[in-house]
Amino acid sequence: MPKSFDELTFKESYILFICKEDPFKDEKDKHFGLPCYTFTNVCNENSDVKLDDKTIKVLYNASGYEKEKDPLIRSFLHFISTNEPEEDDFSRRLSRLVADYKEDEQSRSDYLAMNLHDHDIRYEALAEGASQKAVEDAIEFLKEKVSPEIIAKCVKLPLAQVLELQKKIPNQA
């Protein structure tokens, strides 16, 4: 068992993100425009201190493909950005694989199921956010001494939930 961090052995690993648009902006909300952003673990308090866990995070910005120097990566990013293959073997092969994938019934079914799952997650998050907003609004109305029945109707919460919230607010029970 290692006794210190220095004794731990790490395997080199890469985490890749492929983004259609530039994920980074400066303080003026302007994109940096790099085709590739590479990050290693550096101490925030002192940039001379490196974690050296051999993890490298690489984010590719497909919209910056024109600035990429490596022709294969530029071709790949171009394809991601425009959905149009270039004239090299890699792009043509990639385009053919995507077309085959889209035509395969099982792949299409899996893709649709994944999209439905993602939609469900987004819907739940929105519903949870809306529910949280309704609770916050109900609390504000309760503080203003609006009747729980009217609050329940206005913010679309069950009366029982509004009454429970009312018990938690001082001088409201």
Side-chain angles (χ1 to χ4, degrees), residues 31 45 111:
H31 290 282
E45 292 75 17
Y111 180 77

mmCIF file of all heavy atoms in Angstrom, residues 31 45 111:
data_model
loop_
_atom_site.group_PDB
_atom_site.id
_atom_site.type_symbol
_atom_site.label_atom_id
_atom_site.label_comp_id
_atom_site.label_asym_id
_atom_site.label_seq_id
_atom_site.Cartn_x
_atom_site.Cartn_y
_atom_site.Cartn_z
ATOM 1 N N HIS A 31 -15.584 34.116 -27.980
ATOM 2 C CA HIS A 31 -14.963 32.791 -28.015
ATOM 3 C C HIS A 31 -13.464 32.917 -28.281
ATOM 4 O O HIS A 31 -13.035 33.778 -29.040
ATOM 5 C CB HIS A 31 -15.608 31.922 -29.094
ATOM 6 C CG HIS A 31 -17.004 31.518 -28.764
ATOM 7 N ND1 HIS A 31 -17.300 30.515 -27.872
ATOM 8 C CD2 HIS A 31 -18.187 31.992 -29.182
ATOM 9 C CE1 HIS A 31 -18.603 30.386 -27.768
ATOM 10 N NE2 HIS A 31 -19.173 31.280 -28.550
ATOM 11 N N GLU A 45 -3.667 27.440 -6.601
ATOM 12 C CA GLU A 45 -2.951 28.371 -5.717
ATOM 13 C C GLU A 45 -1.509 28.617 -6.156
ATOM 14 O O GLU A 45 -0.937 29.660 -5.860
ATOM 15 C CB GLU A 45 -2.957 27.843 -4.276
ATOM 16 C CG GLU A 45 -4.323 27.847 -3.625
ATOM 17 C CD GLU A 45 -5.242 26.731 -4.112
ATOM 18 O OE1 GLU A 45 -4.767 25.743 -4.718
ATOM 19 O OE2 GLU A 45 -6.450 26.859 -3.895
ATOM 20 N N TYR A 111 -30.601 4.988 -31.090
ATOM 21 C CA TYR A 111 -30.422 6.436 -31.116
ATOM 22 C C TYR A 111 -31.685 7.151 -30.647
ATOM 23 O O TYR A 111 -31.638 8.065 -29.835
ATOM 24 C CB TYR A 111 -30.031 6.884 -32.525
ATOM 25 C CG TYR A 111 -29.827 8.368 -32.663
ATOM 26 C CD1 TYR A 111 -28.663 8.964 -32.197
ATOM 27 C CD2 TYR A 111 -30.789 9.180 -33.259
ATOM 28 C CE1 TYR A 111 -28.466 10.325 -32.316
ATOM 29 C CE2 TYR A 111 -30.601 10.541 -33.390
ATOM 30 C CZ TYR A 111 -29.435 11.106 -32.914
ATOM 31 O OH TYR A 111 -29.240 12.455 -33.021
#
